[in-house]
Amino acid sequence: MKRTLDAALFDHPASVGESYPEHFMFASRFGLKLIGAGLAAMVHGILPCAFEKTASSVIKELYPKVANRGDQ
């Protein structure tokens, strides 16, 4: 059981060269930015003059940070 829990918590972060706390912080920041971009996109859907480039700018910013993670 302990090995399964260790694998669930630590294998993936290690595969991208991070510790569990580093991965937690990266994923949390990434997720919050995506939530913000999603909310901006929803407002833009209602009010096309608002947040015209916000969601696409966030995606362009985040993509290079994850495109090649784990490809060492």
Side-chain angles (χ1 to χ4, degrees):
M1 177 68 176
K2 181 169 179 0
R3 178 61 199 140
T4 304
L5 181 59
D6 283 350
L9 293 178
F10 303 113
D11 285 0
H12 172 66
S15 75
V16 294
E18 295 172 342
S19 66
Y20 178 84
E22 289 171 329
H23 189 70
F24 174 82
M25 291 305 298
F26 179 88
S28 295
R29 276 189 236 115
F30 197 89
L32 287 172
K33 286 185 178 200
L34 287 173
I35 289 169
L39 291 172
M42 292 172 65
V43 170
H44 175 72
I46 297 166
L47 292 170
C49 62
F51 304 109
E52 292 181 24
K53 297 182 181 183
T54 303
S56 60
S57 294
V58 171
I59 292 166
K60 288 175 188 174
E61 171 198 341
L62 294 177
Y63 178 75
K65 296 178 181 181
V66 295
N68 298 314
R69 285 171 59 89
D71 289 348
Q72 290 92 359

